[in-house]
């Protein structure tokens, strides 16, 4: 039996039913005539306005003709101007003619003596040259030569490295990923200065040809997981990949689940920590969010700042997040169950107060909860989509005004407003935005269960939720690891965090090899330090 779950996806074969426009390429190889080659490229790009073609003649008799092809906006203009200046100056003095050199030696001579850029490659196929131009390169063609030189002069505009906007920390690195693939991989290289860090690049998308990088540490990461990630990405057949969520949906183990089975982050330190634990990172060009596989349920309750604070503070914060998880999931449903079915569980004074508040409310508690939850979701979305200058003001003022007005009008009770507000605030405590969305979806289901069967309905819902979580896997690793299955060695960093010198092993089910993170000398020194302080 295979270690990984095999599955076929209809989404990966969507292009089986459609045909891409055929490109007018007479042959996969270049022609000896320069004019014919330039006309081929003009026809290939539809004579697009951003396609730049420069023809230059060199030599004593001006018989040596070359053509430079690139796309304006994808190349560094200053680098391109410097290249042409240096190229023309050196070629003027070289007095190269086709009569004194063999045709096949001209490209080598230009590459070695006249092009002051290190990343220069000789290409022979039109498809390779097309991809090089689209990636920000320039192609140099020579009349009479059936090969071209790819010169890397890419230099499009890009956003600089800034502070993370979704995973803020008080203490720790402030940098985050950008939309440029090479910048993102370099941020990880800065943190993991080891030659065993492997970066494998692929292209996915028949039209977009999006660059994707699979990153792992050789000797630490389980090779079966790396191979499974690689094979799943290679099986993708789709026209476009515009964000890492495309890849996430196409390679995840289970589609019909509210829980994310791949972890996404825009923090380089989180990716570096995941790689050191034996995970695989998936970088997608054009997005600052990087995927991490396999993902575990407990991982979504952990913040990068947990490892930059004292272990006892980090443990307390994680316990608070677990409490907030249950409050956000079960808050309104517990209130509905107690009000409708289990009034005897409430103190008499509190029950009388709640009954007095609900005396003028025309709707049952479940309708109240659904009205408030839907209103809250509308305000939340409005705050996200509106311009930043007014988004927060509208969401805060709107919530206060609507809540107060609804209570005064007798549509909802004041207690229901308090319950829904605490539930919403608890949802914001979770570090992972994707897990927070999952809880918001499940909350509506628990409200229906509570309104139908009371606490029994909530218990049934929790039972089925636990069964569902136990059935999930992330690239062959159980989603609830190391809780179910229970792994004693990995309990040092789950819902609580032990001191660093006690976390000397990597997760057992994630990394099958090189599981020791620190040597015995480091461990003994830490233990002696603890004893001497005592």
């Amino acid at each position: 039996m295979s270690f990984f779950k095999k599955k076929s996806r209809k989404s990966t074969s969507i292009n089986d039913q459609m045909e891409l426009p055929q490109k007018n390429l007479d042959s996969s190889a270049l022609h000896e005539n320069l004019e014919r080659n330039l006309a081929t490229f003009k026809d290939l790009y539809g004579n697009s306005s951003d396609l730049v073609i420069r023809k230059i003649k060199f030599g004593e008799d001006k018989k040596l003709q070359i053509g430079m092809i690139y796309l304006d906006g994808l190349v560094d203009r200053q680098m391109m101007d410097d290249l042409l200046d240096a190229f023309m100056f050196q070629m003027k003095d070289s007095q190269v003619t086709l009569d004194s050199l063999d045709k096949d030696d001209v490209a080598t001579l230009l590459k070695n003596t006249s092009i002051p850029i290190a990343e220069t490659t000789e290409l022979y196929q039109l498809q390779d040259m097309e991809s090089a131009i689209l990636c920000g390169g320039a192609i140099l063609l020579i009349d009479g030569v059936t090969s071209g030189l790819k010169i890397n002069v890419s230099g499009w505009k890009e956003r600089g490295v800034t502070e993370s906007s979704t995973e803020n920390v008080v203490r720790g690195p402030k940098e985050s990923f950008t939309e440029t693939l090479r910048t993102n991989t370099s941020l990880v290289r800065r943190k993991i200065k080891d030659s065993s860090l492997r970066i494998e690049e692929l292209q996915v998308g028949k039209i977009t040809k999006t660059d994707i990088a699979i990153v792992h540490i050789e000797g630490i990461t389980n090779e079966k997981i790396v191979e499974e990630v690689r094979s799943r990405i290679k099986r993708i057949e789709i026209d476009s990949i515009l964000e890492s969520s495309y890849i996430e949906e196409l390679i995840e183990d289970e589609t019909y689940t509210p829980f994310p089975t791949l972890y996404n982050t825009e923090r380089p330190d989180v990716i570096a920590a995941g790689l050191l634990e034996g995970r695989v990172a998936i970088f997608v060009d054009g997005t600052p969010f990087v995927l991490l596989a396999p993902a575990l349920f407990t991982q979504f309750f952990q913040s990068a700042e947990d490892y930059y604070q004292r272990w006892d503070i980090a443990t307390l914060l994680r316990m608070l997040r677990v409490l907030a998880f249950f409050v956000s999931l079960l808050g309104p449903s517990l209130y509905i169950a107690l009000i409708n079915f289990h009034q005897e569980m409430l103190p008499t004074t509190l029950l009388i107060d709640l009954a007095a508040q609900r005396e003028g409310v025309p709707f049952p508690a479940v309708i109240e909860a659904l009205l408030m939850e839907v209103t809250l979701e509308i305000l939340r979305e409005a705050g996200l989509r509106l311009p930043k200058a007014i988004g927060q003001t509208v969401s805060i003022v709107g919530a206060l005004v609507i809540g107060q007005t609804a209570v005064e009008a007798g549509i909802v009770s004041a207690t229901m407003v308090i319950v829904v507000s605490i539930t919403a605030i608890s949802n914001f405590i979770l570090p992972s935005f994707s897990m927070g969305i999952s809880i918001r979806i499940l909350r509506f289901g628990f409200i229906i269960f509570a309104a139908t069967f009371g606490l029994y309905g909530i218990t049934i819902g929790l039972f089925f939720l636990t069964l569902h979580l136990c059935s999930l896997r992330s690239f062959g690793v159980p989603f609830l690891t190391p809780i179910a299955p229970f792994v004693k060695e990995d309990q040092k960093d789950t819902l609580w965090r032990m001191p660093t010198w006690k976390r000397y092993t990597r997760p057992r089910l994630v990394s099958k090899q090189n599981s020791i993170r620190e040597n015995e000398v480091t461990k003994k020194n830490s233990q002696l330090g603890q004893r001497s302080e005592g």
Side-chain angles (χ1 to χ4, degrees):
M1 183 179 293
S2 176
F3 180 73
F4 295 97
K5 183 179 179 181
K6 302 296 184 182
K7 61 190 301 184
S8 61
R9 298 183 181 277
K10 295 181 180 179
S11 58
T12 60
S13 59
I14 187 172
N15 284 323
D16 293 343
Q17 301 178 2
M18 71 176 188
E19 294 291 336
L20 292 176
Q22 296 296 323
K23 297 177 179 179
N24 297 325
L25 294 178
D26 297 336
S27 174
S28 61
L30 286 177
H31 196 270
E32 290 186 356
N33 185 272
L34 177 63
E35 294 294 336
R36 182 171 177 177
N37 291 332
L38 296 180
T40 300
F41 277 98
K42 286 182 180 179
D43 182 61
L44 176 64
Y45 291 98
N47 203 18
S48 181
S49 60
D50 61 344
L51 179 67
V52 179
I53 297 178
R54 291 199 58 179
K55 292 187 292 184
I56 309 172
K57 295 183 179 180
F58 292 107
E60 293 179 343
D61 47 7
K62 302 297 182 181
K63 289 185 178 180
L64 179 58
Q65 299 184 52
I66 69 169
M68 189 77 72
I69 308 172
Y70 60 91
L71 289 174
D72 189 22
L74 296 184
V75 300
D76 189 327
R77 286 193 174 185
Q78 184 62 45
M79 186 183 297
M80 199 67 199
D81 292 340
D82 294 342
L83 170 65
L84 291 174
D85 290 342
F87 185 64
M88 295 178 67
F89 178 77
Q90 293 184 25
M91 287 298 297
K92 181 179 180 181
D93 293 341
S94 64
Q95 302 297 327
V96 177
T97 64
L98 290 177
D99 298 332
S100 61
L101 286 175
D102 187 85
K103 292 182 179 181
D104 295 333
D105 296 333
V106 176
T108 304
L109 176 67
L110 298 181
K111 178 180 177 181
N112 295 334
T113 63
S114 302
I115 300 178
I117 294 179
E119 296 184 50
T120 303
T121 309
E122 191 168 1
L123 301 177
Y124 298 91
Q125 303 296 323
L126 283 170
Q127 290 84 351
D128 296 336
M129 298 179 192
E130 175 198 0
S131 299
I133 293 174
L134 293 172
C135 292
I139 296 297
L140 188 148
L141 301 179
I142 306 168
D143 189 26
V145 180
T146 58
S147 65
L149 292 179
K150 169 198 170 184
I151 308 172
N152 187 7
V153 287
S154 60
W156 51 78
K157 297 296 182 181
E158 61 182 57
R159 182 172 63 92
V161 178
T162 59
E163 186 175 354
S164 173
S165 59
T166 59
E167 300 172 80
N168 298 322
V169 296
V170 177
R171 180 178 179 179
K174 303 296 183 180
E175 60 189 7
S176 65
F177 289 122
T178 68
E179 285 76 16
T180 307
L181 178 63
R182 186 55 62 222
T183 301
N184 294 341
T185 55
S186 65
L187 289 174
V188 176
R189 280 282 187 190
R190 286 178 53 194
K191 296 185 178 297
I192 304 179
K193 302 180 179 68
D194 195 279
S195 58
S196 59
L197 182 66
R198 299 288 182 260
I199 302 177
E200 176 185 352
E201 292 192 9
L202 305 171
Q203 275 194 348
V204 180
K206 292 185 178 180
I207 296 179
T208 60
K209 295 181 175 61
T210 306
D211 292 321
I212 296 175
I214 302 173
V215 183
H216 70 282
I217 300 178
E218 187 176 12
I220 294 179
T221 308
N222 187 349
E223 289 299 328
K224 291 183 178 180
I225 296 179
V226 179
E227 180 57 33
E228 183 66 14
V229 171
R230 184 186 298 115
S231 64
R232 291 189 187 184
I233 293 178
K234 286 184 176 180
R235 288 199 300 264
I236 296 176
E237 296 180 6
I238 196 171
D239 60 347
S240 63
I241 297 292
L242 302 179
E243 214 273 337
S244 57
S245 61
Y246 285 57
I247 298 295
E248 181 178 359
E249 287 191 32
L250 293 172
I251 67 173
E252 60 187 359
D253 290 63
E254 184 62 47
T255 299
Y256 300 104
T257 176
F259 294 100
T261 53
L262 273 83
Y263 190 84
N264 68 84
T265 179
E266 60 176 348
R267 294 185 59 89
D269 55 336
V270 174
I271 294 298
L275 293 173
L276 291 170
E277 287 184 344
R279 292 181 168 88
V280 180
I282 304 172
F283 292 74
V284 179
D285 190 30
T287 176
F289 290 93
V290 179
L291 303 177
L292 204 59
L296 307 180
F297 181 70
T298 57
Q299 188 177 354
F300 294 92
F301 295 88
Q302 300 170 0
S303 172
E305 196 172 7
D306 293 348
Y307 301 94
Y308 310 138
Q309 300 283 0
R310 284 180 49 85
W311 67 273
D312 48 357
I313 299 175
T315 300
L316 178 62
L317 292 177
R318 287 188 182 180
M319 294 297 181
L320 183 63
R321 293 181 197 127
V322 173
L323 175 62
F325 169 80
F326 285 104
V327 171
S328 178
L329 182 66
L330 304 175
S333 57
L334 285 175
Y335 174 76
I336 293 171
L338 294 176
I339 288 296
N340 290 348
F341 297 94
H342 310 283
Q343 296 90 345
E344 68 278 359
M345 299 181 65
L346 297 174
T348 304
T349 306
L350 178 60
L351 182 60
I352 294 173
D353 291 339
L354 293 177
Q357 293 179 19
R358 293 190 46 79
E359 185 177 358
V361 178
F363 304 111
V366 60
I367 302 299
E368 274 189 276
L370 291 176
L371 283 174
M372 291 301 299
E373 288 291 342
V374 172
T375 303
L376 182 64
E377 294 298 327
I378 293 174
L379 290 173
R380 194 199 309 260
E381 282 299 308
L384 288 175
R385 309 306 168 196
L386 286 172
K388 290 183 178 180
I390 61 175
Q392 294 182 355
T393 304
V394 169
S395 59
I396 295 174
V397 174
L400 292 174
V401 171
I402 292 177
Q404 182 67 27
T405 305
V407 173
E408 293 179 355
I411 299 176
V412 296
S413 62
T415 306
M416 180 60 75
V417 174
I418 295 174
V419 171
V420 173
S421 301
I422 294 176
T423 302
I425 294 173
S426 299
N427 189 266
F428 292 133
I429 295 179
L430 298 176
S432 174
F433 180 74
S434 55
M435 180 59 73
I437 295 178
S438 303
I439 297 172
R440 286 157 54 186
I441 296 174
L442 293 171
R443 188 188 305 153
F444 288 95
F446 276 96
I447 289 176
I448 302 301
F449 272 107
T452 307
F453 302 106
L455 290 179
Y456 298 104
I458 296 177
T459 304
I460 294 172
L462 289 174
F463 177 75
F464 282 108
L465 180 62
T466 304
L467 289 180
H468 177 68
L469 288 172
C470 291
S471 68
L472 295 179
R473 286 178 175 268
S474 179
F475 287 87
V477 179
F479 191 55
L480 288 182
T481 303
I483 299 175
F486 184 81
V487 182
K488 182 179 178 181
E489 295 82 2
D490 294 347
Q491 299 303 315
K492 307 179 186 69
D493 188 21
T494 53
L495 300 180
W496 50 84
R497 183 178 84 81
M498 300 302 290
T500 302
W501 60 272
K502 282 193 175 184
R503 295 183 292 108
Y504 56 89
T505 57
R506 294 184 176 89
R508 186 171 66 87
L509 292 183
V510 175
S511 178
K512 296 287 186 179
Q513 51 190 347
N514 194 6
S515 60
I516 304 301
R517 308 186 66 165
E518 62 184 38
N519 57 29
E520 290 296 326
V521 176
T522 304
K523 183 179 178 182
K524 289 180 180 179
N525 289 340
S526 301
Q527 292 174 340
L528 290 175
Q530 296 287 331
R531 294 173 183 172
S532 62
E533 290 178 2

